[in-house]
Amino acid sequence: MPETALRDSQNSDASDVAGYRVPYRVFTDPEYYRREQENIFQGATWSFVALEAEVPEPGDFKSTFVGETPVIVTRASDGKVHAVVNRCAHRGALVCREVRGNRPNLECVYHQWAYDLEGNLIGVPFRRGLKGQGGMPGDFDMKQHGLKKLRAESIGGLVFASFSETVEPLRDFLGPIVIEHIERIMCKPIKVLGDQRQHVHGNWKLYAENTRDPYHASLLHLFHNTFGLYRSTQTGKSVMDANKRHSLLYSIAASNDDAADKQAYGDSRTFDTEFKLQDMSLLKGRQEFDDGITLVILAVFPNLVLQQIQNTLAVRQTVTRGTDGFELVWTHFGYADDDAEMQAIRQKQTNLIGPAGLVSMEDGEAVEIVQRAIIGETEAESYIAMGGGRAEDADHLVTEGSIVGFWENYEKLVGYGTTS
Amino acid sequence: MDLAIFERLRLQHLATELNAIHAEWIDDDRLEEWPELFTDDCIYKVIARENHERNLSLSAIFCDSKGMLVDRIISLRKANIFPVHSYRHILGPTRVVSEHELKITTQTNYTVFMTRADGRTEIYNSGKYIDEIDCSGERPLFTSKVAVFDTNVIDTMMVRPI
Ligand code: FES
Ligand SMILES: [Fe+2]
């Protein structure tokens, strides 16, 4: 009888080929999700929580999340931005139930414990009891019962928060390349244009991969490629910070060469010369930056993308919702000094991005078809090798190097091994 | 019957019917015909209630010409990748809010159910239409259609018009 031992066709005999592999179980096993909350989101990292422009005035607050943990971002009377866990120090109720607003202090509705905007406990009803009865114990110390505070720091109007006492300062965590590109986009006062929210039925890390992946953008997104908003043939780079946590991907649309690009893409589905727009005004933008860069995807570990696509500017925040879901919150903005024409350009170009975006709606489906295919798979691994399969910078856009960088950090923080 | 009331009922009927056709053509995937319900320089906007109520302009879909509606549909057919799905609109009564020289403003509540390839049907998007309809021509047309949706979190993506 011939040998019929089943080989794992996913791992197969390709194990000698250079490339990076990620076990699919990290996207489905709750054990990893639990460790991510602890070691990444509650660990020695900085998560994006708000734009300063969302809480411009003292008393302004915004409810958001770090990982899955509910957090309130406030601007206190000292003018500084603070972040606290949205959980009452009494018996754990949500203190802040609205998405946003303005209040002189934070008050829990359950038993009306009141906190100042920095999270310090300032009032407990019936603290001394009523008619000599009840009341809190004599040694009750208000100072011990504030809301749990996070560290909060901002750069260029982007507010980050951390649960860690020991994490490096935000500037060091981000590194010079990320700071340079935050400051490039946040170069003057901004105006928030609104929010878009999208629930994707897939693991949050699939989106972290997606936003570090210049390889897919012209192959999945026909609109990008056909209209030359993004092509892998463009002049651009895919680079990381020194720790390879974060990824900067940028490209310059002026480098398009339609004839040569057509050859490069051959008969690819996504280079469609037949597709013409009836209303070309959608693509009539304005050059805003002297460097000619028309697309920036700055993926900041663990939960932020800062983006410029043509004249659209936005932050995208990832909120984890279990192993197989995450919410993506897009906050679009322009500059405070945008003239009427620029405002109109931005409004029209919002058609390009977000959950209904002509160049971005595909990413939700890309994440979901992976999640659906890897269900129940405990051993098989993905194979990441475009550009060499190592966490290396590239001065071109035919690489998956930054994805490997993400995973090397993940391995350090969470690990691939199971405890069971 | 009071003539004014009769005229109001006539306009309400025209608006109700136009909305019914709008829903029907989208649900039946007659998307190539859908722009024909709009004037050439129409506005078509799908906006989250949380933005609309803050007077923020940011919309999921924003078109300011019939050409842009056509482009959305061509993009859906030729460019975009999305989960296989269909819509079913359920419309509430249409109320005429105001009328001026056969140009009316109306409001209609709607719910869109989505059915995915696995056969499950879920509430996808719920909100209200604020419409401006020109009833002075041979058939009524939307000069503006704004769908303000309560469902601030969009499930996966939005590619079909609401
Ligand atoms: S739980 Fe907040 S006051 Fe009791
Ligand atoms: Fe993408």
Side-chain angles (χ1 to χ4, degrees):
Chain A
M1 244 180 89
E3 278 246 76
T4 55
L6 283 176
R7 257 198 338 232
D8 183 339
S9 61
Q10 297 277 341
N11 293 328
S12 73
D13 43 3
S15 50
D16 57 327
V17 180
Y20 192 87
R21 291 174 170 78
V22 179
Y24 291 129
R25 60 179 178 270
V26 302
F27 301 112
T28 56
D29 182 342
E31 171 66 13
Y32 291 92
Y33 184 77
R34 193 193 56 73
R35 292 198 322 235
E36 289 160 9
Q37 295 301 318
E38 195 174 308
N39 302 346
I40 296 179
F41 297 106
Q42 313 260 334
T45 64
W46 289 93
S47 286
F48 171 81
V49 289
L51 293 167
E52 289 216 32
E54 291 179 278
V55 286
E57 301 297 329
D60 285 349
F61 67 88
K62 171 194 171 183
S63 303
T64 183
F65 298 86
V66 169
E68 64 181 6
T69 307
V71 160
I72 315 167
V73 179
T74 65
R75 190 177 293 273
S77 37
D78 62 359
K80 288 213 197 79
V81 176
H82 300 263
V84 292
V85 174
N86 189 359
R87 185 172 58 232
C88 185
H90 177 218
R91 275 172 31 217
L94 280 177
V95 172
C96 187
R97 298 172 300 141
E98 302 92 358
V99 176
R100 58 180 78 79
N102 182 286
R103 287 184 189 172
N105 52 46
L106 303 169
E107 195 176 286
C108 178
V109 293
Y110 202 170
H111 315 86
Q112 294 186 22
W113 283 30
Y115 306 88
D116 68 18
L117 293 162
E118 297 177 36
N120 302 307
L121 182 62
I122 52 172
V124 173
F126 312 149
R127 184 179 164 194
R128 315 234 176 262
L130 291 175
K131 299 180 187 160
Q133 290 176 308
M136 299 298 283
D139 60 355
F140 175 71
D141 179 7
M142 303 270 281
K143 287 196 215 52
Q144 305 295 315
H145 299 274
L147 299 174
K148 186 176 172 64
K149 293 177 184 172
L150 286 78
R151 287 168 64 187
E153 281 185 32
S154 50
I155 279 183
L158 269 57
V159 185
F160 295 81
S162 179
F163 280 96
S164 171
E165 294 292 327
T166 55
V167 65
E168 63 218 284
L170 177 61
R171 293 193 82 86
D172 297 342
F173 178 80
L174 297 175
I177 294 174
V178 173
I179 293 173
E180 179 193 331
H181 278 267
I182 289 177
E183 287 175 346
R184 173 183 172 276
I185 290 180
M186 309 301 285
C187 56
K188 51 186 173 174
I190 62 159
K191 180 174 183 292
V192 173
L193 302 177
D195 296 302
Q196 289 190 294
R197 299 167 200 278
Q198 175 177 16
H199 183 94
V200 180
H201 303 264
N203 188 274
W204 68 277
K205 300 186 294 299
L206 293 169
Y207 194 69
E209 287 191 320
N210 178 280
T211 50
R212 286 165 172 78
D213 176 10
Y215 180 27
H216 87 283
S218 63
L219 297 169
L220 175 69
H221 307 297
L222 180 145
F223 207 93
H224 252 325
N225 200 2
T226 296
F227 296 107
L229 305 182
Y230 173 88
R231 290 174 189 157
S232 282
T233 46
Q234 285 173 357
T235 303
K237 283 189 176 167
S238 171
V239 296
M240 290 165 280
D241 64 303
N243 290 302
K244 308 189 178 193
R245 285 187 274 237
H246 319 300
S247 157
L248 166 71
L249 193 168
Y250 73 78
S251 71
I252 298 174
S255 63
N256 286 339
D257 176 343
D258 281 357
D261 294 349
K262 172 129 192 65
Q263 265 214 318
Y265 281 94
D267 52 7
S268 159
R269 169 186 69 79
T270 52
F271 198 101
D272 184 351
T273 47
E274 301 291 289
F275 183 11
K276 302 253 162 16
L277 291 180
Q278 286 208 0
D279 188 338
M280 287 300 290
S281 65
L282 174 63
L283 299 176
K284 279 204 193 82
R286 217 197 247 177
Q287 184 175 339
E288 287 192 85
F289 298 96
D290 294 338
D291 54 21
I293 294 175
T294 44
L295 181 141
V296 174
I297 302 291
L298 182 66
V300 181
F301 190 89
N303 76 332
L304 171 70
V305 173
L306 173 64
Q307 69 127 79
Q308 172 211 347
I309 297 177
Q310 305 290 103
N311 295 113
T312 65
L313 306 173
V315 285
R316 314 175 191 167
Q317 179 192 13
T318 302
V319 177
T320 64
R321 300 272 192 232
T323 53
D324 53 1
F326 67 92
E327 194 171 312
L328 196 58
V329 185
W330 303 66
T331 304
H332 299 233
F333 58 89
Y335 297 115
D337 66 359
D338 282 349
D339 58 28
E341 188 188 70
M342 197 67 218
Q343 290 174 32
I345 289 171
R346 290 201 212 283
Q347 176 164 38
K348 193 158 278 194
Q349 288 191 358
T350 56
N351 282 294
L352 296 173
I353 65 165
L358 295 166
V359 304
S360 67
M361 75 169 79
E362 286 85 9
D363 292 318
E365 173 72 346
V367 164
E368 292 186 5
I369 56 178
V370 177
Q371 192 75 26
R372 297 217 307 270
I374 61 177
I375 183 168
E377 182 52 66
T378 55
E379 294 305 323
E381 299 170 326
S382 66
Y383 176 57
I384 306 170
M386 185 55 70
R390 281 190 297 273
E392 285 168 356
D393 291 351
D395 54 7
H396 57 78
L397 300 164
V398 204
T399 178
E400 295 177 303
S402 294
I403 301 178
V404 178
F406 172 87
W407 287 115
E408 287 182 356
N409 279 280
Y410 184 86
E411 189 171 13
K412 266 183 249 158
L413 291 166
V414 176
Y416 292 140
T418 44
T419 47
S420 50
Chain B
M1 209 178 190
D2 186 332
L3 264 181
I5 290 179
F6 191 75
E7 176 62 4
R8 278 180 65 87
L9 285 172
R10 189 183 76 88
L11 292 173
Q12 187 190 26
H13 172 75
L14 289 176
T16 302
E17 189 171 60
L18 184 61
N19 269 301
I21 295 169
H22 182 272
E24 188 179 316
W25 285 4
I26 294 171
D27 294 352
D28 291 351
D29 202 35
R30 291 166 65 177
L31 296 175
E32 281 70 15
E33 294 163 79
W34 165 73
E36 295 308 320
L37 302 174
F38 293 80
T39 56
D40 287 344
D41 57 353
C42 65
I43 297 283
Y44 175 74
K45 195 160 105 168
V46 181
I47 183 170
R49 183 174 182 169
E50 68 167 324
N51 293 331
H52 188 72
E53 290 189 342
R54 287 185 288 165
N55 285 323
L56 297 176
S57 59
L58 182 76
S59 310
I61 299 175
F62 172 79
C63 302
D64 63 359
S65 72
K66 191 165 156 180
M68 283 188 79
L69 301 185
V70 173
D71 292 338
R72 272 269 169 190
I73 300 308
I74 297 175
S75 184
L76 177 154
R77 295 287 192 224
K78 302 181 73 156
N80 298 130
I81 303 288
F82 48 84
V84 174
H85 69 280
S86 63
Y87 278 179
R88 182 66 59 201
H89 281 73
I90 307 294
L91 301 178
T94 295
R95 181 173 79 84
V96 179
V97 178
S98 65
E99 188 265 322
H100 181 68
E101 290 176 351
L102 296 176
K103 302 205 171 48
I104 57 175
T105 303
T106 67
Q107 259 181 226
T108 310
N109 287 350
Y110 71 84
T111 299
V112 176
F113 293 89
M114 179 184 281
T115 304
R116 296 250 187 137
D118 63 3
R120 286 172 204 268
T121 302
E122 287 181 8
I123 295 173
Y124 171 67
N125 195 275
S126 171
K128 72 172 173 187
Y129 293 124
I130 304 168
D131 299 330
E132 284 165 31
I133 302 171
D134 184 349
C135 298
S136 64
E138 69 187 61
R139 62 193 177 92
L141 294 170
F142 291 114
T143 55
S144 170
K145 187 167 193 67
V146 178
V148 181
F149 59 94
D150 304 334
T151 318
N152 286 325
V153 182
I154 292 174
D155 196 47
T156 310
M157 51 79 234
M158 180 180 286
V159 65
R160 288 175 201 277
I162 290 293

